[in-house]
Amino acid sequence: MASEFTRPPLTPEGIKALLLVAAPLLLPSIGPHLAWLHTLVPLSVAYHLVVLGGRRGNVLVVQAMLLAGLAALLAQSMVVYLFGISMVPLGYILARGFSRNLDPSQVGLQALGYLMAVWLLLGAYAGISGGPTPLEMARESIGRGMATALDQGGEAGLSEPELEAALAVLLNFVERTWVALFTVSLLTLVWLNIMAGHWLLNLRGLSPWPGLRYWRLPDQLVALAAVVLLLLILRLEPGATFGLNGVIVLGMLYFMQGLGVMSCLLAHWNVPPLLRGICYALVLLQGYGLLLLALLGLAEVRLNLRRRYAAGQ
């Protein structure tokens, strides 16, 4: 499947593959500003497992883990390394989905379930050991943001009570919706890795999926969306908080579907690639653009825009 990787490992191609898998595990040990590289671990692992095949890919992943582990041991950053290692099984889940041509929704659910289990275990361990929980870390981050905003607001001539009131509202919102924000962050991580993995493997003709722009949520999910929206509108606690969390999570899911609808329509209209990029940027960089895409994804349940234009692709 990838003959250039079947030669002895100490070839330029083999060393390059080893470094590509090890880098997201290794570089975050240098400093916290590189911690975001951990999000690339599943993509790198899944890509090389599919390209190299199971046996060769497994050997490469183990070698990369050992190399990064040795570096983390020397740098005395084993905690950061262990967090990166927790992302490796996610790469195996994605690789299994690509190799066995599983439904993208099934792969996404499996990946999301794994990540939730990992974070729940980390939260339980933090509670037992007395360390900060994810919610406490979010509060601390907001507290630091409040201090920074107060300093900047004072320089801009804004009154301190106004800033404190606004940031207090933000803190209350995070405390009410931390479950949804946590879920959405994991959904985004899984979605981006699936999208990027499909794109990279499709360049080599190895992705089994014809196009993720046709991915569709179950139509029955719209009933749940109506329920959580009703709970939010009624404003009766604790139902309103549950509804708010549900609206955020389902809004993210329908945003993903809306983005697929937009991609399908731009392809149907033969919009040039450069202009497509501008359209995506204009929509994604605007707050209302995210809402419009979520509404487009919800409307797709009734309008079936992609099904109407699929024959023309």
Side-chain angles (χ1 to χ4, degrees), residues 55-278:
R55 183 175 180 181
R56 181 74 180 96
N58 285 329
V59 171
L60 180 70
V61 171
V62 171
Q63 290 174 343
M65 292 169 60
L66 292 175
L67 176 61
L70 178 60
L73 184 62
L74 295 176
Q76 298 182 347
S77 57
M78 289 301 295
V79 174
V80 176
Y81 168 72
L82 291 176
F83 180 79
I85 289 297
S86 69
M87 295 290 105
V88 172
L90 179 57
Y92 276 86
I93 292 174
L94 299 182
R96 180 174 175 270
F98 286 122
S99 300
R100 299 188 180 184
N101 193 16
L102 301 180
D103 183 76
S105 297
Q106 180 182 353
V107 178
L109 284 174
Q110 293 174 355
L112 181 63
Y114 167 76
L115 286 177
M116 284 188 166
V118 168
W119 278 98
L120 287 176
L121 289 174
L122 289 176
Y125 173 77
I128 295 174
S129 63
T133 64
L135 180 57
E136 290 172 344
M137 288 188 291
R139 288 174 176 170
E140 182 181 352
S141 176
I142 292 175
R144 290 195 300 267
M146 290 175 65
T148 302
L150 287 173
D151 293 339
Q152 294 177 350
E155 295 175 359
L158 300 177
S159 66
E160 184 173 331
E162 291 177 344
L163 284 171
E164 288 181 345
L167 292 172
V169 171
L170 175 61
L171 181 59
N172 179 66
F173 176 79
V174 172
E175 290 181 345
R176 289 186 65 197
T177 62
W178 69 270
V179 173
L181 298 177
F182 169 69
T183 304
V184 166
S185 65
L186 298 186
L187 274 173
T188 304
L189 173 62
V190 171
W191 179 58
L192 290 177
N193 274 275
I194 289 178
M195 294 283 289
H198 165 72
W199 179 72
L200 289 173
L201 291 173
N202 198 45
L203 293 178
R204 303 178 67 99
L206 296 176
S207 177
W209 300 327
L212 292 179
R213 66 168 65 111
Y214 296 108
W215 171 77
R216 185 182 182 91
L217 288 167
D219 290 349
Q220 296 81 358
L221 200 62
V222 72
L224 180 59
V227 170
V228 295
L229 183 59
L230 178 62
L231 290 175
L232 179 60
I233 293 174
L234 292 177
R235 295 187 177 182
L236 297 176
E237 295 294 349
T241 297
F242 177 82
L244 178 59
N245 282 269
V247 166
I248 293 174
V249 174
L250 291 176
M252 181 63 185
L253 290 173
Y254 280 109
F255 159 77
M256 295 175 182
Q257 179 162 289
L259 191 62
V261 175
M262 178 181 175
S263 175
C264 181
L265 294 178
L266 292 178
H268 174 76
W269 294 327
N270 293 320
V271 178
L274 178 59
L275 189 55
R276 288 190 201 184
I278 295 175

Side-chain angles (χ1 to χ4, degrees), residues 6-19:
T6 59
R7 291 173 288 181
L10 293 180
T11 61
E13 294 83 1
I15 294 174
K16 177 183 177 182
L18 178 62
L19 292 178

